Amino acid sequence: MKNTQSITVDVVPGLISQPTVNVIKGDSETRYIDVTALNNGEPLELEDDVTVSYVYAKPDCTQVINPATISGNVVTIELSDQCLTVAGLCSCEIQFYRGAQQLTSAMFRVSVCPGVYSEEALESSDEYGLLLDAISKAKAATVTVGEVSTLEPDQLATVTNTGTDTDAILNFGIPRGENGSGGGTSYEIGDGLKLEGNKLSVDTAAEVEQDNTKPVTSAAVYAQIGNIAALLADI
């Protein structure tokens, strides 16, 4: 997407009428000028090692000096963002360099027209309904966690949206850890512990026995002490 306007200038001032290019303030990376360079009304002949730049003066007395490209005797100028920051009539000329040599073209004009769009009007204008609607939808967006599933250890974690762009429902797939030692989420159940579902607890004994290695419950201890007290009472 770009606009290219073609003009002709001579390196002899006043030999041909001064051309004017019309552009709009605020445009960016889309405005080009193809300038056919003449020398006394004939195509300007340039050596291969010639370099080209353009000098651009704005109405606020600031200026732009940028390189240009050349093919034959046609110079292509890309008007930079700075060239289009101030509305009004701007002056431009092309400079050709070869070693210590410099050749300057006749001046031409660039008319920068003010656009209808204004940054100051954006906050208070009601003509930006589409923009305000997009902002409103973004503020109202929601994210909900859906299903969480376990994947095989060699599978990659996944996140999928089964909702909409503004009301997302995210489903997660999380790989389980490898069995055995060394895995980040793997574990072994040691002696005296038991795993029921995802609950880890102490594996206790309900009765006191001679060869029992499990911890006994307080109820079992209480019963055993009661038995001893009963035996002592009989002695």
Side-chain angles (χ1 to χ4, degrees):
M1 179 181 69
K2 67 178 183 178
N3 170 258
T4 303
Q5 299 177 53
S6 299
I7 60 173
T8 300
V9 298
D10 204 299
V11 295
V12 180
L15 195 62
I16 59 177
S17 59
Q18 187 179 79
T20 299
V21 174
N22 297 298
V23 295
I24 296 178
K25 176 186 174 183
D27 282 353
S28 176
E29 300 181 6
T30 53
R31 297 289 183 173
Y32 295 80
I33 308 172
D34 280 345
V35 184
T36 299
L38 303 180
N39 183 9
N40 285 316
E42 299 294 329
L44 178 64
E45 296 182 1
L46 298 168
E47 292 80 2
D48 293 339
D49 57 348
V50 170
T51 59
V52 186
S53 64
Y54 69 92
V55 180
Y56 185 98
K58 294 182 280 186
D60 62 355
C61 296
T62 59
Q63 67 178 6
V64 175
I65 303 175
N66 278 337
T69 60
I70 187 167
S71 177
N73 69 320
V74 177
V75 177
T76 299
I77 295 172
E78 178 185 357
L79 294 177
S80 67
D81 291 355
Q82 274 298 323
C83 292
L84 305 176
T85 55
V86 181
L89 196 60
C90 305
S91 301
C92 189
E93 63 185 17
I94 299 172
Q95 294 181 341
F96 303 90
Y97 296 95
R98 183 170 184 257
Q101 295 180 313
Q102 176 182 324
L103 182 63
T104 304
S105 75
M107 185 176 62
F108 61 93
R109 301 286 190 178
V110 178
S111 177
V112 181
C113 304
V116 174
Y117 171 78
S118 171
E119 290 184 355
E120 290 75 16
L122 179 60
E123 184 175 354
S124 61
S125 173
D126 58 3
E127 294 296 323
Y128 296 92
L130 186 63
L131 175 59
L132 295 176
D133 183 56
I135 294 174
S136 177
K137 287 182 179 179
K139 288 183 177 179
T142 62
V143 178
T144 304
V145 177
E147 298 179 355
V148 179
S149 58
T150 301
L151 306 178
E152 293 300 316
D154 58 348
Q155 291 182 285
L156 297 176
T158 60
V159 180
T160 56
N161 180 14
T162 57
T164 65
D165 291 340
T166 55
D167 294 295
I169 302 175
L170 302 182
N171 297 325
F172 294 86
I174 302 174
R176 63 176 175 82
E178 296 280 1
N179 293 327
S181 61
T185 58
S186 302
Y187 51 82
E188 294 181 356
I189 306 301
D191 294 336
L193 299 174
K194 62 181 178 180
L195 181 65
E196 297 176 345
N198 60 349
K199 182 180 180 181
L200 183 65
S201 59
V202 177
D203 189 10
T204 60
E207 296 181 359
V208 177
E209 298 177 358
Q210 181 177 357
D211 57 352
N212 183 35
T213 59
K214 297 180 181 179
V216 295
T217 64
S218 60
V221 173
Y222 180 83
Q224 187 68 19
I225 292 175
N227 293 334
I228 294 173
L231 290 173
L232 291 176
D234 293 337
I235 295 175

